[in-house]
Amino acid sequence: MKDADTQPFFYAGTDALYEFIEQNFKKPDVTELIGKIFVSFVVEKDGTLTDIATTRDIGFGTGKEAERIMQLSPKWIPGRKDGKVVRIKYYLPIPIHTH
């Protein structure tokens, strides 16, 4: 993994990424749970996500659910360094708010 000139990104953009997460994330049955989950993963040269892990969890199974959602993710546009496609470790915050 290398520092990139161009960071990897979700193929349809950031808004679409969070829409994908919102549509697929199964929130726990806990009222007024507010916080952020952080997941890390590697965006491979072909755009697939590997090494998906929760780096910060707010409990109630939210970290495992975030990992599950990222495993379902469509391919990303990979990062580039010196014009070449490279593997990049990426950190993603996922806000949670239950009612």
Side-chain angles (χ1 to χ4, degrees):
M1 290 177 275
K2 304 170 183 166
D3 291 327
D5 297 330
T6 305
Q7 289 294 318
F9 60 93
F10 189 69
Y11 78 100
T14 303
D15 289 344
L17 170 61
Y18 282 106
E19 185 177 311
F20 167 79
I21 292 168
E22 180 67 27
Q23 288 176 353
N24 292 286
F25 195 97
K26 294 176 184 149
K27 294 180 182 176
D29 190 19
V30 176
T31 56
E32 293 301 318
L33 178 63
I34 300 170
K36 281 187 185 175
I37 306 156
F38 286 82
V39 291
S40 67
F41 48 87
V42 174
V43 180
E44 298 289 346
K45 292 179 181 183
D46 68 356
T48 59
L49 306 185
T50 62
D51 300 336
I52 299 167
T54 303
T55 57
R56 189 168 91 188
D57 193 349
I58 58 173
F60 305 99
T62 55
K64 289 294 180 198
E65 180 63 6
E67 291 174 19
R68 184 187 74 80
I69 295 305
M70 296 317 298
Q71 289 170 352
L72 298 175
S73 174
K75 289 186 177 184
W76 285 43
I77 305 301
R80 292 186 168 268
K81 174 74 174 174
D82 299 327
K84 296 179 184 176
V85 175
V86 292
R87 299 173 77 229
I88 299 290
K89 188 159 192 168
Y90 195 91
Y91 295 89
L92 179 70
I94 300 175
I96 298 294
H97 184 182
T98 62
H99 302 281

